[in-house]
Amino acid sequence: MRKVESFKVATYPAVIIVFLLFAGMLFVYFTNALPALHRYGLDLYLENVWRAAEEPSEEVYGIAAAIWGSIYTSIIAILIALPLSVAYSVFVVDYAPKRLKNAFIILSDIMAGLPTIIYGIWGAFFLVPFLRDWIMKPLYDHLSFIPLFSYPPVGGYSYLSAGVLLAIMVTPFASAIIREAYNMVPFTYKEAIYSLGATRYEATKVLLGYIKPAIVSGTILAFGRAVGETVAVSLVIGNTFNLTTALFAPGYTVSSLIANQFGNAFIYEYMTSTLFAAGLILFVIGLAVNVVGLKMLKRWERDVNI
Amino acid sequence: MLTSNRKTKEKVFFIGIGALTILIFIPLFHIIATVLIKGFPVIAERGTKFLTGTLSEGGIGPAIAGTFILTFLSALLGLPVAFLVGVYAYEYPKSTLGQWTKTLLQIMIEFPTILVGVFVMQVVAVPMGTYSALAGALALAIILTPYVAVYTHEALREIPSTYREAGFSLGLTRAKVVFRILAPMAKRGILTGVLIGMAKVAGETAPLLFTAGGLYESYPSSITKPVGAVPLLIYQLVQSPNPVDHATAWGASLVLLAIFLGIFIPIRLSLKEVRL
């Protein structure tokens, strides 16, 4: 009989715990979502209704607006974050003097780690009124015939506010991935480009093409972060069931829906289950986005290292 | 003509990306300045009462105590598991389970934290019939584990493989090589991961919403009873219509910012690169 290695005896249980936790989460979300899925079917994800009633037969839920809100705000966020992170990466790696470079990297790490509730309180008390008075009102006054700007910005709590706040929160995160990739470009490539007489701007254009896969995966991972963010978003989005592309309309996201409604959901027969179903879809979106993003990043890193 | 055109483009490009880079950090400076300007007068006016008193006395003492209890408890629950998992992923980078473990850890780092909170609520808080410090700490431990595991893994990987080989050539077992030789050598990197993980969970809000419950009128007495936390308190106070609550929230934000920067900056300065 072979002797069991003591290393495995020590580490296996821990590894098993982590796997069980993950499988357990998926199981808990799925089983708890079943009653609502049974009752409402796919309409739960495709309809936009939220009718809570003491009488179970009158309860109707459909969380399409929240799913839309999660995706819409995250898209706004990465549209803003992407150009900023690419510019930052190029500047820090190619141009900034060494001392400034370190300062920028440290600042970016601080931003990435800052407690999200601090972004939330700043968002609610500064960013929302600021965007309302300086961005939304002028746009609404002059350009409200464009559907995007057609919603009157009364409170300022809106998809736009949530998108901008999320952009601020995920930019350092996307930056870290893109910067690292840009840093990893083999030196011989740079030498080759400069030896052809290219300016730094022209060289950058070529190099950015080279790290495109890393930029894409950085964007996907940033999107994944934005989709899952909860407290900061729920403080600025307005928490209203709106299914619209109008930027200034208040909305909902899946995570803010859960944060807001779970507290008293147990009063209603089907609300808890509906919220678990909402969690399940967030689970699936988060998992899919992160798996794709991480896979792409890993493949790219492997290709570069050869 | 052509050359000068190219030179101009280069200049415009340089100014453009420089400006965008600075633009990224304007919100950070504005946030820190706002928290200082709005939080400092509140703390100055209420004095030590702010740090030790209960909410009705105008203080956040129980929340601060709660944050320390939750952070400490979650470290107690999460660190041993995290360390062992990190070691496992390091030792078996090529095996199927080893690769799966690494992927799972990375996925868990990116995972929406509110989902962890709701999960722990369902499996701990609901059966127990009450919110509790234990449930809150468990949720935080699940969030802490992948961070620390990934840092442990990275720290071990930085040790030159000659030390490994030397250990094995002396006839030591795998466990002895890893735990007696490599882990002590990677101590600094692992400790950094531990502190960063703790800084991270100390600032978490979403996983505590339905697990910790909140306790602001008295100090926590038992880990099976509800407990407060600074981020959770801020979240609840921001939603209140009362301006006095908003003032308390700003003061609490300054305390949280101080805790975060107090842990984060020293580690960050003593280290080359952090990947959050």
Side-chain angles (χ1 to χ4, degrees):
Chain A
M1 209 177 86
R2 265 181 64 205
K3 200 171 148 257
V4 185
E5 224 188 313
S6 56
F7 179 79
K8 286 191 173 164
V9 177
T11 52
Y12 262 154
V15 174
I16 290 166
I17 286 175
V18 174
F19 275 93
L20 279 183
L21 266 176
F22 194 75
M25 270 178 80
L26 194 55
F27 179 77
V28 163
Y29 276 96
F30 188 71
T31 49
N32 282 290
L34 274 179
L37 287 171
H38 254 295
R39 184 173 155 126
Y40 306 114
L42 270 185
D43 280 355
L44 186 67
Y45 295 129
L46 301 174
E47 299 273 321
N48 175 25
V49 280
W50 193 263
R51 208 156 58 229
E54 305 264 320
E55 186 60 45
S57 62
E58 282 168 26
E59 276 181 281
V60 189
Y61 305 108
I63 57 166
I67 296 173
W68 165 248
S70 286
I71 293 170
Y72 193 37
T73 52
S74 304
I75 288 176
I76 299 171
I78 57 171
L79 285 180
I80 301 172
L82 182 62
L84 288 172
S85 350
V86 171
Y88 162 88
S89 306
V90 172
F91 189 77
V92 164
V93 174
D94 273 352
Y95 290 86
K98 200 157 186 302
R99 297 187 65 166
L100 209 58
K101 187 172 173 160
N102 279 335
F104 278 144
I105 294 175
I106 291 177
L107 282 176
S108 169
D109 284 342
I110 291 175
M111 262 182 104
L114 200 70
T116 53
I117 188 66
I118 293 182
Y119 284 105
I121 187 173
W122 178 80
F125 290 131
F126 169 76
L127 187 67
V128 166
F130 175 81
L131 289 175
R132 181 191 58 207
D133 297 345
W134 293 94
I135 308 279
M136 298 186 208
K137 278 196 176 145
L139 283 174
Y140 177 73
D141 288 346
H142 303 294
L143 297 168
S144 59
F145 57 87
I146 299 172
L148 276 181
F149 308 140
S150 63
Y151 198 94
V154 185
Y157 299 98
S158 59
Y159 287 121
L160 182 72
S161 305
V164 172
L165 188 60
L166 280 172
I168 295 169
M169 294 170 72
V170 301
T171 298
F173 176 70
S175 299
I177 296 170
I178 297 172
R179 188 191 73 224
E180 215 166 285
Y182 194 68
N183 216 0
M184 271 167 68
V185 175
F187 193 67
T188 44
Y189 286 37
K190 291 190 187 179
E191 277 181 325
I193 297 168
Y194 286 127
S195 74
L196 292 173
T199 62
R200 293 221 263 188
Y201 163 66
E202 287 157 347
T204 304
K205 270 208 299 197
V206 177
L207 295 177
L208 283 180
Y210 180 71
I211 65 159
K212 214 188 231 161
I215 296 178
V216 174
S217 56
T219 310
I220 294 175
L221 290 172
F223 180 89
R225 277 257 153 136
V227 161
E229 174 45 44
T230 310
V231 287
V233 171
S234 88
L235 291 175
V236 300
I237 195 161
N239 299 320
T240 311
F241 288 95
N242 268 331
L243 193 62
T244 167
T245 51
L247 282 171
F248 309 154
Y252 240 133
T253 65
V254 174
S255 48
S256 64
L257 176 73
I258 295 173
N260 274 297
Q261 302 285 349
F262 234 126
N264 48 16
F266 61 91
I267 304 168
Y268 309 100
E269 176 95 31
Y270 285 98
M271 198 191 280
T272 309
S273 177
T274 299
L275 291 172
F276 271 106
L280 186 66
I281 193 87
L282 189 61
F283 199 116
V284 171
I285 295 175
L287 196 63
V289 167
N290 286 319
V291 166
V292 171
L294 288 168
K295 272 258 152 65
M296 286 185 67
L297 194 62
K298 215 175 268 172
R299 193 184 322 144
W300 187 81
E301 278 171 359
R302 205 178 47 222
D303 290 350
V304 171
N305 280 333
I306 289 168
Chain B
M1 187 59 210
L2 190 73
T3 335
S4 77
N5 191 6
R6 288 174 66 203
K7 285 263 156 65
T8 324
K9 254 192 188 162
E10 161 110 11
K11 273 228 170 79
V12 171
F13 174 68
F14 172 74
I15 294 169
I17 61 172
L20 287 179
T21 302
I22 291 166
L23 182 69
I24 291 179
F25 298 113
I26 290 175
L28 176 66
F29 289 120
H30 195 274
I31 287 171
I32 293 176
T34 313
V35 170
L36 274 172
I37 292 167
K38 299 220 179 190
F40 188 71
V42 179
I43 299 181
E45 187 198 318
R46 301 188 195 169
T48 51
K49 194 109 229 188
F50 186 79
L51 298 175
T52 56
T54 63
L55 192 58
S56 49
E57 295 168 344
I60 60 165
I64 295 176
T67 284
F68 278 107
I69 291 171
L70 285 169
T71 309
F72 179 74
L73 256 184
S74 67
L76 208 64
L77 291 167
L79 291 184
V81 174
F83 174 68
L84 293 173
V85 172
V87 166
Y88 184 88
Y90 164 76
E91 271 298 299
Y92 299 101
K94 292 260 151 51
S95 82
T96 319
L97 185 61
Q99 281 186 337
W100 273 83
T101 309
K102 229 189 127 192
T103 311
L104 182 67
L105 291 176
Q106 272 165 336
I107 289 171
M108 280 173 80
I109 285 186
E110 310 298 338
F111 212 63
T113 52
I114 180 118
L115 293 179
V116 174
V118 169
F119 166 69
V120 173
M121 174 203 80
Q122 189 65 15
V123 298
V124 180
V126 169
M128 277 174 71
T130 169
Y131 296 133
S132 64
L134 191 65
L138 207 62
L140 293 181
I142 296 176
I143 290 159
L144 175 98
T145 299
Y147 274 89
V148 179
V150 167
Y151 270 94
T152 304
H153 178 253
E154 295 291 326
L156 287 169
R157 273 213 319 195
E158 276 175 15
I159 299 172
S161 61
T162 44
Y163 290 94
R164 252 175 91 80
E165 287 158 16
F168 282 125
S169 73
L170 291 174
L172 300 181
T173 62
R174 194 190 284 271
K176 281 211 170 114
V177 170
V178 171
F179 294 116
R180 294 278 173 79
I181 300 176
L182 301 180
M185 288 181 73
K187 193 168 57 191
R188 220 171 82 96
I190 296 172
L191 200 67
T192 305
V194 169
L195 286 171
I196 289 200
M198 285 169 78
K200 168 93 191 151
V201 297
E204 283 287 342
T205 317
L208 298 178
L209 278 172
F210 309 113
T211 53
L215 173 77
Y216 306 110
E217 290 305 338
S218 66
Y219 276 85
S221 57
S222 156
I223 61 164
T224 54
K225 297 241 172 66
V227 69
V230 181
L232 190 61
L233 176 65
I234 298 170
Y235 181 67
Q236 284 157 356
L237 291 176
V238 171
Q239 290 171 313
S240 146
N242 186 346
V244 178
D245 286 343
H246 295 170
T248 311
W250 282 111
S253 298
L254 182 53
V255 172
L256 185 63
L257 188 66
I259 295 175
F260 170 73
L261 292 180
I263 304 179
F264 197 83
I265 289 191
I267 307 170
R268 190 55 192 79
L269 286 179
S270 68
L271 203 83
K272 313 184 298 289
E273 189 84 9
V274 178
R275 177 115 167 242
L276 281 159

